[in-house]
Amino acid sequence: MGDEFPKEYDVIVVGTGMTESILAAAASRVGKRVLHLDSNEYYGGLWASFNFEGLQQWVGDCQKPKDETECKADPQLADGESAIKMRVLNPPTATNVKEQWHVPEAVESSGDDAKKAWSQEEVKKLYRKFNIDLAPKLLYSRGALVELLISSNIARYTEFRNVTRVVTWHEGKLTPVPCSRADVFATQNITVVEKRMLMNLLQECTEYEGNPEKLKKHENQSFLDFLKDKQLTDNLIHYVLYAIAMSTEETPCIEGMSRTQKFLLSLGRYGNTPFLWPMYGSGEIPQAFCRLCAVFGGLYHLKRGAEALIVGSDNTLKAIHSDRENLKSNYLVMGLDYAPDSFLPEESPGISRGVFLIDSSILAADKEHLTLLEFPPDESSGPVTIVEVGSLTNACPQGLYMVHMTTKQKGSAEEDLMSVAKKLMNFPGETDESKPNLVWSMFFNMKDTSTCDLGANTPTNLFLTSGPDLDLDFDFAIKQAKEIFSKMYPEDEFLPRAPDPEEIILDDDDEDKQKQPEEKASEEPQE
Amino acid sequence: MHGRLKVRTTEQEQAIKRKEREQKVKAYKAAMGRIMKIRGNVELNDEMLILTREVLQRNPDIYTLWNIRREIFLSFKKEKSDEEMGKLVDNEVKLTENCLMNNQKSYCAWHHRGWVLDLHPEPKWTRELALCTEFLKQDERNFHCWDYLRLAAAKSGFSPLKQFELSDEKIKDNFSNYSAWHYRSKLLPLTHPDPEGNALIEPRQHSYELGQVESAAYTDPNDSSAWFYQRWLLGRDCSVAQRQPPKPLLCWLGPHKAIVSFSKHSRLAPQLFVDGQTVEGEWMMESKYVWVLKHKIGNVDLIKKAEVVTEGGRLELQPSSIGLVAVVAEDSQEHNQVVMDTLKGQLKNCKLLLTLTPDCRWTYLTAVFLMQAIDVRLFHGETMEFLDKLIQLDPLRAGHYDDLRSKYVMEFKLSLMEGSFGVQESVSLSQCHLSSLYHFNQLALVREMCRKLDLSHNCLVTLDSMPGLPALEWLDLSDNELTKEPGRVDKNLRNANLTALKSLSVQDNPCSDLLDIEDLLQTLSFK
């Protein structure tokens, strides 16, 4: 590649998180010159997935003390321009990070025990078999991301597995929730009359918009009261409220119905639950968008960030300074985790995360399941979203399961999640045979910047993008990307379908090539 | 570098596709021409196999080509060694597999596979089972595959219980599956026979199966597959009554004729003994339920003892005003108490289901069948009401429901005549919503004796099922829908053997003006 590194772009994107990657792909797809940088040596930023060793490094980075040292950059400035210098080290992306082993460093192999006794040594040895998500998320089968992946033809870079069961915590134990027609038919946990009531209710929720008058009646009602009015049994109310609508006692009726509808509309497209899980972890998704960006000519550079931002007197961004060069751009898109302090919103809520390795499933079954558990709120914790993945997802080695917990931050992640974790698994010393044994755990807190006003302190042509939000799916990131894209390029289509390889004409002498086999073929039938 | 990709236009794509199609047609025509030319030429068998293979792989539904291959394989069978034959059949099986990959519903390919495998010296039918399981995974409703599975299971000795489990699994995946339910009905008598021998299926399993149906019905009452299965479970095929021989309900001995009518289809002719002697003559099966004997006894008053012997028991005839008669009230307990309780339970379920989800036609229809099976008289009013409801819910099948109504009205009337039936000289079926005439065949004696028949104010369109009524003197057909299609009604009347008819009314019918009553009466009596 003898070409010199280009100095001018339509869009420079700093950070390879979800929103940034979608924007990079969208701009590149409509022919814009895109440069995509990330000072990390991995893709995904706050959305990344790591193998076990990569995660250790990330934990190490997070535990480094905050360093305010600015970059030594000394960019050339034109009249009226000023430089905002960036810090050498980005502030840690997670706080309250606590990683802990719950098994001995090594165990002597005790032969053919039914349940394998894991050791730290053994888990570390299998480090490449892990894909541990910072921001685990699911896709609704008819949700915004699935539709976008299909319509843009990015789906061919991705692979998914179905979530195979939805589980809830009810009356002190885990129970699978019948949510599809097949589940309702097969379950023995509810009576036939309950089956009918449940199906009737679900039907009503899928069609609720068609009946505005009826809707009015429920306007000021909570979803819980609505369900009670239907004279549903406690069982059913619990299933619908917590597991299907993923709501709380306070959720308004209309919102509960719409959440139920969203759940139901995604059923049956790819399987018996509405959800898909990205193979190799959620970190694959931003990378798929990056790949499309690159296919359409976007330039990529990892381990390279912006050292300074050059802003004109009209409060527009002119260029970034990176690796001793000024790179001009019409627009700059920047992940919040890279932004200088002066751009940041003052306060933002937080997310509490827990990751657990266990030696069997939280609800053992005769086959490996991919489980979603929306843990209902109680006195000690808010609702906790739990996803359990097994080796079939390539997220962890065979014989282990990985449990992801996500909830709104109140205290530290450990404080927020410990009570739920204790209910589901054996901590060292506990020997409840119905529960899995904990092998390793990690807690951390992240910021939830999805609700912040990110445009308040920035130059007009610089767009900040937020990190992962609390929602189960990726819809927020897509919405954000679309909004920013339409501000940059209101005339252009957002991610039109990319052609398949066979639709692309690679050579001008393409037609000559086609003639040859044709002549050959025409000889045969004559004999 | 940022240049747009060159993509083929739809016109270019179409041109390519057209070319491909043309080439296919050309190759197909050439191959078929050659095949027909060398057909029957044993020397060229090898070439033939290659040619037909090529074509079949593209289109497995050309049965002629499979037949040609079959001819060749039959000749191979005579000349080849076992080892050679095994190899040839293995290849052939592989060919069908390729074809099935292209088209999973190819009748020819499935059939050929089963056929050719039988020529294998050591056919591996268990492998076929695995193939079926694989195909059913892709489409659990592929009835071709279910069919083949039955074959493979029979040939390989696959245990019925295992097959039963497979059907269980498929129904759990998706209970809208006629094939899987049907398969169960074939397996149950093998896997769960009634040890007492009273029924086809062990009672506990039978009620479990009904529970499955119930579960399906309550999950989705609009899905018909389970309802059909239920009809089989509750039907005669499954019940105790089926195992008992047909019972004679009525015997009559007149001067020239004897009639025996049965509770159900009787395949064996009865025997008539008069004063210890078998009465000579040929018994004719007049309908499924009725046997008739023409004899030459003449005066029956002199007979001391007359007896009818049938497969279902013997009856002694008693003198009456119309000859010798034996009447047995049809056992309304045709179903034993257990079955009756089951039916009543199912009816209760249906009615409950109707309160939860009204307006489901399958529930109504099932309730109608159940009510008819339980007590024709008790439920007559409700049956009529439900049929009205069905016509309203499902107007496309109104004719079918009207027909059912006609049948049930006749059954109701029959039940009222019970005990005296046979000796009625005047029958009124006026204002009964009849659209067709049912069960006259069972009314053997009514037909012999009936002198007055009132069918006025009904909806009869034709008299196609009009029985022979040799004693009939007075027939009222006024206010019906009798067709003006020329000759239709005349012909019906002529076929009904109305030699004694003196009065006929056809007023208020579309055909009223077309019929010359006097003329008709005259020709009828001359016949």
Side-chain angles (χ1 to χ4, degrees):
Chain A
M1 216 167 145
D3 294 334
E4 210 172 298
F5 200 74
K7 303 279 189 299
E8 277 182 41
Y9 298 90
D10 294 310
V11 190
I12 293 176
V13 182
V14 178
T16 52
M18 188 68 188
T19 313
E20 302 94 282
S21 302
I22 298 176
L23 276 168
S28 170
R29 179 67 189 88
V30 295
K32 309 298 173 193
R33 298 164 300 169
V34 177
L35 174 66
H36 202 169
L37 304 177
D38 195 323
S39 55
N40 292 323
E41 56 181 8
Y42 54 85
Y43 281 93
L46 301 168
W47 306 72
S49 303
F50 298 109
N51 67 28
F52 205 78
E53 217 173 73
L55 186 79
Q56 304 303 317
Q57 233 158 47
W58 177 82
V59 169
D61 286 346
C62 288
Q63 285 166 341
K64 280 183 193 157
K66 205 171 172 181
D67 184 351
E68 303 282 356
T69 323
E70 284 183 348
C71 294
K72 278 186 189 143
D74 185 19
Q76 282 190 329
L77 297 175
D79 277 354
E81 285 181 349
S82 58
I84 302 171
K85 285 198 182 162
M86 315 288 271
R87 281 183 305 232
V88 173
L89 262 181
N90 289 315
T93 49
T95 52
N96 303 327
V97 182
K98 185 177 174 190
E99 193 200 2
Q100 206 175 350
W101 283 101
H102 304 278
V103 289
E105 264 179 52
V107 280
E108 277 173 46
S109 64
S110 54
D112 39 22
D113 258 15
K115 212 167 187 183
K116 188 172 178 175
W118 287 90
S119 68
Q120 298 179 20
E121 210 172 48
E122 233 164 326
V123 172
K124 283 177 184 162
K125 213 161 63 193
L126 296 166
Y127 73 97
R128 274 150 52 106
K129 299 266 181 196
F130 287 91
N131 279 296
I132 305 168
D133 294 318
L134 296 185
K137 281 186 180 293
L138 299 177
L139 290 78
Y140 279 90
S141 297
R142 285 191 196 281
L145 182 53
V146 169
E147 300 301 345
L148 180 62
L149 288 173
I150 294 171
S151 68
S152 64
N153 212 358
I154 295 174
R156 66 193 144 128
Y157 303 137
T158 53
E159 261 182 279
F160 297 92
R161 275 193 92 79
N162 261 304
V163 170
T164 54
R165 62 178 178 185
V166 175
V167 165
T168 188
W169 177 267
H170 187 36
E171 289 170 345
K173 63 181 198 318
L174 292 174
T175 354
V177 176
C179 52
S180 69
R181 195 167 162 274
D183 289 349
V184 174
F185 167 70
T187 180
Q188 288 172 356
N189 295 340
I190 58 175
T191 66
V192 287
V193 173
E194 286 180 306
K195 291 183 181 189
R196 188 81 291 262
M197 289 167 114
L198 178 59
M199 292 301 283
N200 274 346
L201 177 89
L202 299 181
Q203 185 68 25
E204 187 176 331
C205 287
T206 47
E207 295 162 354
Y208 80 97
E209 285 149 317
N211 203 336
E213 255 173 59
K214 222 169 154 191
L215 267 185
K216 249 199 171 135
K217 223 173 68 197
H218 304 305
E219 224 164 31
N220 300 316
Q221 211 178 12
S222 76
F223 192 48
L224 176 64
D225 286 338
F226 166 78
L227 296 176
K228 281 185 176 159
D229 282 356
K230 292 268 162 197
Q231 301 187 319
L232 297 188
T233 58
D234 289 347
N235 257 339
L236 294 186
I237 290 180
H238 184 94
Y239 290 167
V240 176
L241 185 67
Y242 296 118
I244 294 178
M246 293 181 262
S247 297
T248 64
E249 292 182 2
E250 290 79 35
T251 307
C253 179
I254 310 280
E255 190 189 328
M257 282 178 140
S258 120
R259 295 175 70 102
T260 308
Q261 186 193 44
K262 185 173 181 186
F263 184 102
L264 295 170
L265 291 182
S266 284
L267 268 180
R269 186 177 200 181
Y270 300 118
N272 268 338
T273 79
F275 304 108
L276 295 177
W277 167 265
M279 287 282 281
Y280 312 99
S282 296
E284 285 294 301
I285 304 285
Q287 286 188 63
F289 283 90
C290 292
R291 192 158 166 194
L292 183 90
C293 175
V295 166
F296 281 84
L299 271 186
Y300 276 78
H301 211 316
L302 290 183
K303 291 204 273 187
R304 178 170 180 172
E307 284 132 28
L309 306 181
I310 299 164
V311 181
S313 55
D314 54 353
N315 194 28
T316 59
L317 180 112
K318 302 293 179 196
I320 66 165
H321 187 76
S322 172
D323 202 10
R324 292 184 300 278
E325 283 179 310
N326 284 0
L327 305 172
K328 286 186 185 167
S329 181
N330 295 329
Y331 291 105
L332 179 68
V333 173
M334 188 172 234
L336 205 63
D337 40 331
Y338 293 97
D341 286 348
S342 61
F343 291 178
L344 295 182
E346 286 187 355
E347 284 287 317
S348 58
I351 298 174
S352 286
R353 287 271 296 112
V355 187
F356 307 85
L357 269 183
I358 47 181
D359 63 354
S360 63
S361 169
I362 49 172
L363 180 59
D366 50 6
K367 63 168 186 176
E368 183 182 316
H369 276 287
L370 214 171
T371 309
L372 170 65
L373 160 61
E374 196 66 28
F375 205 97
D378 59 20
E379 320 81 52
S380 50
S381 68
V384 180
T385 302
I386 299 172
V387 179
E388 184 195 71
V389 294
S391 60
L392 291 177
T393 62
N394 289 343
C396 66
Q398 217 171 2
L400 288 174
Y401 283 83
M402 186 153 45
V403 174
H404 285 286
M405 294 193 188
T406 311
T407 192
K408 202 178 168 76
Q409 181 178 5
K410 284 185 193 148
S412 74
E414 188 177 12
E415 286 158 9
D416 290 345
L417 296 170
M418 194 46 113
S419 72
V420 173
K422 287 255 183 201
K423 284 178 184 135
L424 298 179
M425 37 204 142
N426 285 329
F427 279 67
E430 297 170 327
T431 53
D432 184 342
E433 287 204 354
S434 65
K435 291 190 203 166
N437 299 312
L438 189 54
V439 174
W440 169 93
S441 65
M442 181 173 81
F443 293 98
F444 60 94
N445 287 102
M446 281 171 121
K447 280 183 176 162
D448 175 6
T449 46
S450 64
T451 53
C452 303
D453 177 8
L454 302 180
N457 312 319
T458 60
T460 49
N461 59 344
L462 188 156
F463 299 100
L464 291 184
T465 60
S466 71
D469 56 331
L470 259 175
D471 281 348
L472 188 58
D473 56 23
F474 293 88
D475 287 14
F476 177 77
I478 296 172
K479 188 169 150 254
Q480 195 181 30
K482 277 186 179 167
E483 277 167 12
I484 295 174
F485 183 80
S486 72
K487 278 181 197 159
M488 296 193 297
Y489 304 111
E491 307 293 318
D492 283 305
E493 193 183 341
F494 180 74
L495 283 170
R497 183 177 172 280
D500 283 326
E502 61 268 25
E503 296 162 344
I504 297 169
I505 301 171
L506 295 171
D507 290 317
D508 287 333
D509 57 356
D510 175 67
E511 290 192 5
D512 295 337
K513 269 189 194 164
Q514 283 212 330
K515 266 178 196 162
Q516 282 177 344
E518 195 181 326
E519 278 161 17
K520 230 182 184 178
S522 63
E523 282 167 15
E524 277 172 24
Q526 284 166 2
E527 55 172 289
Chain B
M1 171 164 103
H2 287 286
R4 297 273 193 137
L5 287 173
K6 238 168 130 189
V7 176
R8 284 199 181 101
T9 64
T10 43
E11 276 148 46
Q12 281 168 317
E13 267 172 33
Q14 271 172 0
I16 290 171
K17 279 204 182 115
R18 197 170 50 237
K19 258 185 207 161
E20 277 172 9
R21 220 170 20 238
E22 278 165 12
Q23 268 169 33
K24 267 191 204 164
V25 170
K26 220 170 171 182
Y28 171 76
K29 282 186 173 161
M32 286 302 273
R34 177 77 184 151
I35 286 169
M36 290 308 155
K37 209 165 137 192
I38 64 170
R39 175 139 193 222
N41 186 342
V42 184
E43 307 280 297
L44 297 176
N45 270 352
D46 288 341
E47 186 191 343
M48 187 60 132
L49 284 179
I50 292 169
L51 278 171
T52 48
R53 161 187 289 268
E54 289 298 309
V55 180
L56 284 169
Q57 271 176 342
R58 284 167 192 272
N59 180 1
D61 282 330
I62 310 172
Y63 53 81
T64 311
L65 301 188
W66 290 114
N67 284 337
I68 291 172
R69 291 182 82 83
R70 242 165 266 171
E71 283 172 359
I72 297 174
F73 267 85
L74 284 178
S75 69
F76 280 168
K77 204 188 164 191
K78 289 181 203 140
E79 34 190 75
K80 305 272 177 189
S81 69
D82 271 6
E83 196 187 334
E84 285 172 314
M85 201 60 196
K87 267 185 196 155
L88 283 164
V89 173
D90 281 342
N91 282 333
E92 195 69 356
V93 165
K94 242 176 241 153
L95 170 65
T96 59
E97 201 162 313
N98 289 342
C99 292
L100 289 171
M101 296 289 181
N102 277 336
N103 177 6
Q104 300 197 1
K105 295 195 171 174
S106 167
Y107 282 94
C108 308
W110 281 109
H111 179 251
H112 188 72
R113 189 176 176 91
W115 182 88
V116 83
L117 204 58
D118 253 344
L119 296 184
H120 200 291
E122 291 162 353
K124 294 193 185 64
W125 284 102
T126 39
R127 231 196 105 239
E128 302 304 286
L129 292 173
L131 176 97
C132 289
T133 322
E134 196 47 48
F135 273 105
L136 285 179
K137 233 181 247 168
Q138 291 170 30
D139 176 4
E140 72 268 5
R141 305 208 282 189
N142 185 347
F143 61 85
H144 301 263
C145 188
W146 282 101
D147 223 28
Y148 190 73
L149 173 65
R150 256 195 299 280
L151 175 77
K155 295 273 189 187
S156 66
F158 187 40
S159 92
L161 208 59
K162 281 262 157 47
Q163 299 174 53
F164 190 75
E165 279 163 13
L166 181 68
S167 90
D168 228 24
E169 189 188 306
K170 292 299 162 194
I171 286 169
K172 283 208 170 102
D173 285 349
N174 178 6
F175 63 85
S176 297
N177 192 334
Y178 286 105
S179 305
W181 289 115
H182 174 66
Y183 201 34
R184 282 175 100 73
S185 74
K186 293 282 167 206
L187 289 168
L188 276 166
L190 302 175
T191 55
H192 301 84
D194 183 11
E196 308 283 322
N198 292 329
L200 200 58
I201 304 169
E202 181 199 353
R204 248 194 22 219
Q205 186 65 25
H206 190 260
S207 69
Y208 172 79
E209 294 298 311
L210 282 172
Q212 292 288 94
V213 170
E214 201 185 326
S215 204
Y218 273 74
T219 305
D220 185 357
N222 284 311
D223 188 280
S224 54
S225 50
W227 289 117
F228 278 103
Y229 181 56
Q230 183 203 39
R231 228 180 270 179
W232 176 80
L233 284 171
L234 298 176
R236 289 172 184 277
D237 286 349
C238 236
S239 77
V240 194
Q242 175 68 20
R243 328 210 103 212
Q244 292 165 352
K247 242 166 63 179
L249 296 179
L250 177 132
C251 309
W252 172 76
L253 176 58
H256 309 293
K257 216 182 205 179
I259 296 174
V260 181
S261 79
F262 287 91
S263 59
K264 60 185 181 189
H265 185 25
S266 165
R267 288 183 177 82
L268 283 178
Q271 279 178 294
L272 177 64
F273 295 95
V274 168
D275 297 331
Q277 298 281 320
T278 310
V279 178
E280 298 295 327
E282 198 183 338
W283 284 94
M284 308 282 286
M285 197 201 287
E286 201 191 66
S287 71
K288 276 180 151 185
Y289 303 95
V290 181
W291 287 87
V292 177
L293 172 74
K294 283 189 180 153
H295 58 78
K296 293 179 181 131
I297 295 174
N299 189 354
V300 295
D301 297 342
L302 300 172
I303 294 173
K304 286 188 196 115
K305 189 183 179 191
E307 216 179 4
V308 165
V309 178
T310 72
E311 52 177 324
R314 62 174 60 211
L315 282 179
E316 198 172 328
L317 305 178
Q318 306 298 331
S320 81
S321 59
I322 53 157
L324 296 171
V325 184
V327 180
V328 179
E330 182 165 8
D331 197 0
S332 61
Q333 300 294 319
E334 188 194 337
H335 304 297
N336 67 24
Q337 201 51 47
V338 181
V339 176
M340 200 43 108
D341 288 345
T342 313
L343 294 178
K344 283 180 180 161
Q346 294 293 306
L347 180 60
K348 211 170 121 197
N349 263 327
C350 277
K351 290 190 172 168
L352 176 61
L353 182 52
L354 281 175
T355 62
L356 296 168
T357 302
D359 298 348
C360 171
R361 68 181 169 105
W362 292 105
T363 324
Y364 275 111
L365 191 60
T366 307
V368 164
F369 290 144
L370 288 167
M371 290 191 291
Q372 286 300 305
I374 296 168
D375 191 328
V376 172
R377 250 183 280 178
L378 181 65
F379 290 114
H380 183 66
E382 214 171 341
T383 302
M384 294 299 125
E385 204 182 294
F386 278 25
L387 286 171
D388 283 339
K389 188 81 192 173
L390 276 165
I391 291 176
Q392 186 194 328
L393 287 175
D394 186 18
L396 285 176
R397 283 165 202 81
H400 171 54
Y401 302 127
D402 273 332
D403 200 58
L404 283 179
R405 189 206 308 273
S406 298
K407 188 172 154 206
Y408 294 148
V409 164
M410 282 303 289
E411 276 165 17
F412 175 61
K413 294 274 174 188
L414 272 172
S415 75
L416 293 179
M417 289 178 205
E418 223 170 66
S420 70
F421 75 109
V423 277
Q424 294 227 331
E425 294 198 350
S426 167
V427 175
S428 173
L429 295 169
S430 178
Q431 298 186 22
C432 286
H433 295 285
L434 296 183
S435 59
S436 56
L437 299 172
Y438 268 99
H439 293 313
F440 267 85
N441 283 334
Q442 281 180 64
L443 283 170
L445 267 195
V446 169
R447 292 174 32 214
E448 290 298 318
M449 303 298 151
C450 181
R451 288 164 46 193
K452 211 172 156 189
L453 176 60
D454 188 354
L455 287 169
S456 62
H457 310 295
N458 281 305
C459 340
L460 297 169
V461 177
T462 72
L463 299 169
D464 284 355
S465 41
M466 186 89 167
L469 292 160
L472 197 67
E473 294 171 8
W474 188 93
L475 174 62
D476 191 351
L477 291 166
S478 58
D479 189 20
N480 273 292
E481 311 283 334
L482 290 173
T483 172
K484 50 184 180 183
E485 185 190 324
R488 184 78 180 258
V489 175
D490 314 29
K491 198 177 160 199
N492 289 154
L493 288 170
R494 275 181 240 279
N495 285 343
N497 194 22
L498 303 169
T499 45
L501 196 65
K502 291 185 183 119
S503 164
L504 171 68
S505 170
V506 288
Q507 273 174 29
D508 300 323
N509 275 293
C511 70
S512 297
D513 298 339
L514 299 170
L515 290 179
D516 183 342
I517 304 292
E518 289 307 315
D519 181 52
L520 193 65
L521 283 176
Q522 214 147 37
T523 45
L524 287 175
S525 62
F526 278 125
K527 194 179 163 190

